[in-house]
Amino acid sequence: MSVFEFQSVTLPEAAEVARVEIREFLRSEIAERRFEPHRCSWSSFDASFSRRLGEAGFIGVTWPEEYGGRNASTLTRFVITEELLAAGSPCGAHWVADRQSGPQMLRYGSDAAKTHILPRIAAGTCFFGIGMSEPNAGSDLASVKTKAVKVDGGYAITGQKIWTSNAHRVHYLIVLARTGDRGESRHEGLTQFIVDMTSDGISPRAIHDLAGNHEFNEVFFDDCFVPDEMIMGEVDEGWNLVTGELAFERSGPDRFLSDYQLFRGLVDQAGTTPDRSDAVQIGAMVSKLASLRKMSVAIAGMLDQGEQPVVQAAMVKELGTAFERSVPEIARRMVSVEPRQIAQNDFVEVMADTILRAPSFTLRGGTREILKSMIARGLGLR
């Protein structure tokens, strides 16, 4: 049986300097009441916050300066990211572009795509969504049925995607489509495309969640034209690209800090002298959180070395989102309050919001069943 290793990583001095800088930025934002931490998470869409964050130089920090970046390490980006999450900042507008679409484009995009799009992402004015999941396929990307057919100057895409976050608000999707036979492995004949959401032949339809929020969408493509310069990598080689992209999507602190504001409020509720039961539960949660952080930092170190730790990322996502799901359940048992979305108490409000959002934690970015299957294969058990 194979063994996964998560090497201990020491954060470089530049990362700690960035921590001071981003904390100062966030202190200013909160002092000016530009967002309310207990009402926000990394999925909260606020284009004006993203623009200010981009102007301050905190988006696309690992990219070359010619594309608006700082040439910083992945570990520096990790520190900036965890500080944004810990502060409860509304990062949803730029999140996907900064986390995975931009890095993917940097590796596999055409010069035209990089020059036209990356500086706008770094400036916090250009946003992306993910066009992977499909009806009747879910997270099983090998079952993708959306087709892209070669036409003069590009491809025409026809099909449907689902659970596409913010498709009605972003500027581009990276769409995985079938361009050839899938072969015995089912992984052949797939290609990634950068699709402009203002193109003809593309239409999103809202899916409202339990809280009535509109974040998810179905997206329909009807002969939607994509020029050749918006192809990612080589045609029919999309499987390797999309699995590499998932290492960015699944390994970061957003996979275990989605409900950090509730956890923080729970510790405050327990006070400085919690009873034995509360102390044991909080201690266990802190221990899990520290372990997840160490694993996530280790993966950031691997990404810095140019590796693609896809299975390790799946493990962080599986364990991290299971932790996130447990937080509101433990909070509900520890503190006897009636969750309400509108109240005079921040803890009551964040409890209500987290309970409503928690079911999505283990769905977005790949279901637990898919992740466990990947981990088992990585361990040599399948």
Side-chain angles (χ1 to χ4, degrees):
M1 186 172 74
S2 301
V3 176
F4 298 133
E5 290 190 6
F6 291 86
Q7 298 286 344
S8 181
V9 173
T10 301
L11 294 174
E13 183 179 349
E16 297 300 348
V17 171
R19 188 188 303 282
V20 174
E21 294 172 347
I22 186 66
R23 282 183 176 178
E24 182 58 33
F25 171 84
L26 291 167
R27 264 195 294 270
S28 172
E29 288 283 306
I30 294 171
E32 296 184 31
R33 304 182 65 83
R34 287 176 166 169
F35 67 87
E36 295 182 84
H38 79 284
R39 293 182 184 275
C40 300
S41 73
W42 63 267
S43 60
S44 300
F45 196 102
D46 184 339
S48 61
F49 175 82
S50 295
R51 178 180 48 76
R52 294 193 297 275
L53 192 69
E55 288 174 350
F58 292 114
I59 300 177
V61 296
T62 61
W63 308 346
E65 291 182 6
E66 65 181 296
Y67 298 128
R70 297 191 194 181
N71 281 315
S73 69
T74 304
L75 293 167
T76 294
R77 182 184 179 276
F78 180 94
V79 166
I80 293 170
T81 301
E82 71 174 354
E83 291 295 333
L84 287 167
L85 294 168
S89 53
C91 300
H94 70 273
W95 199 255
V96 169
D98 183 43
R99 179 183 65 184
Q100 63 193 85
S101 306
Q104 190 79 337
M105 206 181 310
L106 203 56
R107 282 189 178 185
Y108 304 110
S110 67
D111 288 341
K114 286 188 280 193
T115 302
H116 180 59
I117 298 174
L118 287 178
R120 290 190 289 141
I121 294 177
T125 59
C126 180
F127 312 132
F128 270 67
I130 303 169
M132 293 187 191
S133 298
E134 294 192 358
N136 304 316
S139 303
D140 180 12
L141 299 180
S143 298
V144 162
K145 292 181 179 176
T146 294
K147 290 184 177 179
V149 178
K150 186 74 181 95
V151 296
D152 187 26
Y155 280 77
I157 297 179
T158 299
Q160 181 184 353
K161 297 293 178 180
I162 195 167
W163 308 121
T164 312
S165 297
N166 299 312
H168 57 304
R169 298 189 277 204
V170 300
H171 302 92
Y172 296 94
L173 296 182
I174 292 185
V175 173
L176 182 67
R178 190 158 291 290
T179 45
D181 295 335
R182 63 185 199 170
E184 291 185 8
S185 69
R186 303 195 306 150
H187 300 162
E188 300 171 28
L190 291 166
T191 305
Q192 283 192 317
F193 298 89
I194 303 169
V195 179
D196 187 333
M197 288 300 291
T198 62
S199 304
D200 292 334
I202 180 168
S203 53
R205 180 188 298 168
I207 300 173
H208 291 93
D209 63 20
L210 285 171
N213 300 316
H214 176 194
E215 178 185 349
F216 298 120
N217 296 270
E218 295 177 280
V219 182
F220 299 89
F221 301 88
D222 183 10
D223 275 336
C224 176
F225 176 73
V226 182
D228 286 329
E229 64 187 20
M230 291 298 169
I231 295 172
M232 298 279 270
E234 300 294 328
V235 173
D236 292 341
E237 298 295 327
W239 181 258
N240 291 332
L241 271 64
V242 77
T243 52
E245 181 180 347
L246 291 173
F248 291 102
E249 182 180 355
R250 291 172 171 165
S251 64
D254 43 330
R255 295 309 179 187
F256 50 88
L257 292 178
S258 295
D259 47 16
Y260 184 73
Q261 296 306 310
L262 177 60
F263 177 65
R264 189 169 158 173
L266 184 60
V267 173
D268 289 342
Q269 291 287 319
T272 55
T273 55
D275 63 28
R276 178 173 173 76
S277 173
D278 287 356
V280 167
Q281 293 193 77
I282 290 174
M285 294 167 78
V286 170
S287 175
K288 289 179 182 177
L289 201 52
S291 298
L292 286 163
R293 182 179 184 273
K294 189 169 185 178
M295 293 168 70
S296 186
V297 171
I299 292 179
M302 294 180 209
L303 292 171
D304 243 1
Q305 299 301 315
E307 300 175 31
Q308 292 197 345
V310 176
V311 181
Q312 291 92 333
M315 188 171 287
V316 168
K317 205 271 182 184
E318 158 61 13
L319 296 174
T321 55
F323 170 76
E324 291 181 329
R325 286 288 296 269
S326 74
V327 173
E329 289 305 308
I330 294 170
R332 191 173 54 79
R333 292 196 298 268
M334 281 179 57
V335 183
S336 180
V337 296
E338 181 182 349
R340 295 193 303 276
Q341 287 185 282
I342 304 297
Q344 299 300 314
N345 182 306
D346 290 356
F347 183 77
V348 170
E349 290 186 351
V350 74
M351 173 92 94
D353 183 65
T354 306
I355 287 173
L356 289 169
R357 289 189 298 109
S360 70
F361 294 165
T362 50
L363 294 175
R364 59 191 183 192
T367 63
R368 301 189 70 179
E369 290 77 10
I370 289 291
L371 297 171
K372 287 177 178 175
S373 175
M374 290 178 62
I375 295 166
R377 189 180 295 115
L379 289 169
L381 300 176
R382 298 183 58 208

